[in-house]
Amino acid sequence: MENFKKDFPLLAGSDIAYLDNAATEQRPRQVLEAEREFYNKYNANPLRGLYALAMEATERYEAARERVQKFIHAARPEEIIFTRNTTESINLVAYSYALSTLKPGDEILISIAEHHSNMLPWQMAARQTGATLKYLECGPDGSFPEEEVVAAVTPRTKIAAVAHISNVLGKVMPVEALIRAVHAVGGVVLLDAAQSAPHVPIDVQKLDADFLAFSGHKLMAPMGIGVLYGKKALLDAMPPFLTGGEMIESVTREGATYAPLPHKFEAGTVNGGGAVALAAAIDYLETIGMETIHKRELELTRYTLEGMKQRACIHVQGSGRAEDHCGIISFTIDGVHPHDIATILDADGIAIRAGHHCAQPLLKHLGVMSTARVSLAFYNTEEDVDRFLKAVCRVRREMGYGE
Ligand code: PMP
């Protein structure tokens, strides 16, 4: 595998071992240049002006939509809605779809392993509609057995919303079985793909997902651009989430008729530079190939886990099998607070995350207050991992323990 770090100005220009990729990835030069080019050469408000520059800006913005469409294998470009991030995409579905369709007694099914961004919107929807919020529980290793997932679906399940890959454990949810079971009772499924879209190939048509959300910044694009995929028939029937400029067909004193998809859901000035840069990030990823990226990240995960298993004081959350971690490894060290682990590693230029990872109910379920988390991307190297392993072995000594 070639060394990709040369493409990433931040990584090439420092000796940081950046191992917090689940929080946000670094941006390659190609992505930064695409955003710069948009503002240097094509800057005008997309979807508005009738002059050549504005039409160019619009064309580039809409071409970015088609790039995303192909990336996740959606059937139509208008099924791709640009948002700010995963959080906004999920809120759009909760406010628009859930509030307009749920009735008292209906069930929303999520899992205990959700990021707060895929939990709080459903708590809100349940409160406001009288629907019941049900949780899938995972085993101590973070797994969701397929038969238990299917058994949790009832004739009242109207919406299931789950993380495709957990941001704490890296475990993959058996989404195909869930989608089949929910469709069999007439419900819809939203996949939170924040941690899967950057790392594994996604085909929304093969999955038959109804909605899918992800963030550009976790996929090497700038912060502030995100995606909601939705099946056309569902999006068509949904009321707008935000209202205002550019999402209308006509407005009178009394009311408005709304623009067709996708613009009905893109009120206000859009993030043109972000969308174009997201398309460049997808180009970059697909030049390498999503299968290759997934394989490389599994290799690095295996290497990291093997190193961690050599130390009895390190406890990995989850199964410890590389296939169950997808580049994300949460761990604790006997007698050391995770914040101290992160601080000690930071002194050596190693960036990892520590805390509750916006998944407090999961950590409570697993019986821990917080964890340290190392998360890998294809541009990491064995050398990054070696530095991490060496430093992590020093943590207990630095905290005053014997070894
Ligand atoms: N869901 C998952 C699984 C995540 O990992 C994250 C980010 N940590 C989010 C949702 C929220 O993403 P964002 O902050 O970009 O909206």
Side-chain angles (χ1 to χ4, degrees), residues 305-324:
L305 282 166
E306 274 164 16
M308 292 172 84
K309 279 180 203 153
Q310 307 306 315
R311 302 289 299 179
C313 63
I314 299 180
H315 304 288
V316 168
Q317 295 288 330
S319 80
R321 290 174 51 243
E323 295 72 19
D324 290 337

Side-chain angles (χ1 to χ4, degrees), residues 105-329:
D106 287 344
E107 290 174 2
I108 306 170
L109 182 62
I110 65 172
S111 91
I112 194 67
E114 298 314 312
H115 189 281
H116 297 161
S117 290
N118 194 35
M119 188 172 278
L120 272 60
W122 305 114
Q123 292 178 348
M124 176 282 299
R127 258 195 319 271
Q128 293 208 20
T129 61
T132 306
L133 183 60
K134 284 181 47 179
Y135 287 86
L136 287 161
E137 311 286 339
C138 62
D141 64 351
S143 64
F144 290 94
E146 200 172 299
E147 54 290 357
E148 288 179 25
V149 168
V150 169
V153 176
T154 78
R156 295 178 166 202
T157 307
K158 292 293 184 292
I159 302 175
V162 294
H164 193 184
I165 293 181
S166 155
N167 68 307
V168 178
L169 302 171
K171 181 85 180 127
V172 184
M173 173 69 83
V175 291
E176 290 87 352
L178 175 68
I179 290 170
R180 275 195 304 274
V182 173
H183 285 173
V185 296
V188 300
V189 178
L190 176 142
L191 295 185
D192 171 353
Q195 298 295 346
S196 60
H199 304 291
V200 297
I202 302 269
D203 185 326
V204 288
Q205 291 188 79
K206 259 198 209 138
L207 282 168
D208 203 14
D210 300 288
F211 299 104
L212 180 134
F214 67 95
S215 297
H217 71 91
K218 293 188 196 285
L219 194 144
M220 303 187 301
M223 297 180 184
I225 186 80
V227 170
L228 173 69
Y229 159 80
K231 284 182 181 164
K232 183 172 184 303
L234 292 169
L235 293 173
D236 268 336
M238 285 158 57
F241 169 43
L242 301 173
T243 55
E246 269 322 295
M247 49 74 68
I248 52 92
E249 215 154 54
S250 71
V251 180
T252 61
R253 281 180 186 236
E254 293 75 31
T257 54
Y258 302 122
L261 292 177
H263 304 118
K264 178 171 82 173
F265 290 111
E266 293 182 357
T269 296
V270 297
N271 184 354
V276 165
L278 173 59
I282 292 172
D283 283 344
Y284 186 99
L285 279 178
E286 292 204 325
T287 303
I288 305 169
M290 292 310 292
E291 291 286 0
T292 309
I293 283 173
H294 181 54
K295 248 178 73 195
R296 170 65 182 152
E297 290 173 347
L298 266 188
E299 222 171 72
L300 279 170
T301 309
R302 193 166 292 118
Y303 184 72
T304 312
L305 282 166
E306 274 164 16
M308 292 172 84
K309 279 180 203 153
Q310 307 306 315
R311 302 289 299 179
C313 63
I314 299 180
H315 304 288
V316 168
Q317 295 288 330
S319 80
R321 290 174 51 243
E323 295 72 19
D324 290 337
H325 285 269
C326 290
I328 295 176
I329 306 166

Side-chain angles (χ1 to χ4, degrees), residues 18-39:
Y18 185 75
L19 299 170
D20 193 19
N21 293 288
T24 196
E25 287 195 345
Q26 297 301 335
R27 287 96 186 91
R29 195 169 17 83
Q30 292 83 340
V31 167
L32 300 169
E33 278 168 9
E35 188 176 45
R36 235 179 125 81
E37 186 189 48
F38 178 84
Y39 287 113

